[in-house]
Amino acid sequence: MKRLLYPTLTVAGVMSFGMGQAIADPLYIGAYGGSTEKAMKEKIIPAFLENHDAEVIYVPGNSTDTLAKLQAQAGNQELDVVLMDDGPMYQAINLGFCSPLSGMKSLDDVYDVARFSNDNAVGIGLVATGFAYNAEMFKRNGWAPPSSWQDLADKKFEGKLVVPSISNTYGLHTLVMAARLNGGGENNI
C-alpha cells in the first residue's frame, strides 16, 4: 500500500492536510462520475493544486466499481482517496482497505452520525430513499399517490416503475424493502 486510504472524506478536506507540501507520487482519487467528477475537476482539484506540487489522477466509477478496484489492487493499492456509498464503504472497511483516521484534528468537527466505527471512514452526506412520481399522470388516471412500498406492487404500475441498480444506495434500499415486504430482509433477500 503506497499511502493510507482515506475513504469517504471530502477530497477538499483530505487535500487541505499538509498545505504546501509536495506529493511525490500521483494522488489517485476514486469517486463518482457525472456531476461529482465535474465538480472535482473544475473546482476542488484545481484549488488543491494551488497549494500543492502534485499530480492528481481522477478515477471515476460508482461505489461498487471503486470497491472492485480496491479488491483487484489488494496488497498494491493505487487508489489513495475514495468516495463511496455507505454499503460498499462498510465492505471496504471489513476487507481491511481503510486505515484509521486517528490523529486528524478535523475529526473533532465531524458529526457523530458521519463517523464510521473506529474512524476508518467519514461520511460526507446523508441519503434518504423514497418515491418520486408524476403528479399530473396520477391525477389524470385518478390514482392516489403511493404511500407505502407495498403500493409499488400494484399491477397498474407494471412497466411504469424505474428502480436504480442495486449497485447504488437507492437500488439497494429498494431491494431490501421488497425483501422485507415478502418476509425477508437484509440477511434474507
Side-chain angles (χ1 to χ4, degrees), residues 44-65:
I44 297 169
I45 293 171
F48 170 71
L49 293 176
E50 287 177 12
N51 296 297
H52 295 278
D53 180 18
E55 177 185 4
V56 176
I57 298 173
Y58 193 87
V59 183
N62 68 32
S63 294
T64 54
D65 292 337

Side-chain angles (χ1 to χ4, degrees), residues 26-169:
L27 179 65
Y28 285 83
I29 301 170
Y32 312 111
S35 60
T36 299
E37 180 178 7
K38 182 178 179 183
M40 291 288 214
K41 288 182 172 179
E42 292 179 4
K43 303 285 184 188
I44 297 169
I45 293 171
F48 170 71
L49 293 176
E50 287 177 12
N51 296 297
H52 295 278
D53 180 18
E55 177 185 4
V56 176
I57 298 173
Y58 193 87
V59 183
N62 68 32
S63 294
T64 54
D65 292 337
T66 300
L67 179 61
K69 288 172 187 156
L70 290 174
Q71 290 173 300
Q73 297 169 359
N76 189 25
Q77 292 306 130
E78 182 175 271
L79 296 173
D80 299 303
V81 178
V82 298
L83 276 72
M84 297 190 296
D85 293 350
D86 56 340
M89 185 55 69
Y90 279 112
Q91 289 179 300
I93 290 169
N94 289 334
L95 291 168
F97 296 127
C98 305
S99 300
L101 303 170
S102 56
M104 291 184 72
K105 186 178 182 209
S106 58
L107 279 177
D108 295 339
D109 297 327
V110 176
Y111 289 107
D112 290 342
V113 70
R115 291 174 78 162
F116 284 63
S117 61
N118 300 319
D119 286 329
N120 283 39
V122 177
I124 60 170
L126 296 174
V127 175
T129 301
F131 317 128
Y133 66 94
N134 182 327
E136 191 175 293
M137 180 182 159
F138 272 68
K139 184 177 180 180
R140 187 173 54 247
N141 287 297
W143 298 340
S147 62
S148 77
W149 288 93
Q150 188 64 48
D151 290 350
L152 301 182
D154 192 310
K155 288 280 188 198
K156 69 184 172 203
F157 298 129
E158 196 169 303
K160 295 177 176 62
L161 292 176
V162 177
V163 178
S165 159
I166 63 168
S167 68
N168 77 34
T169 300

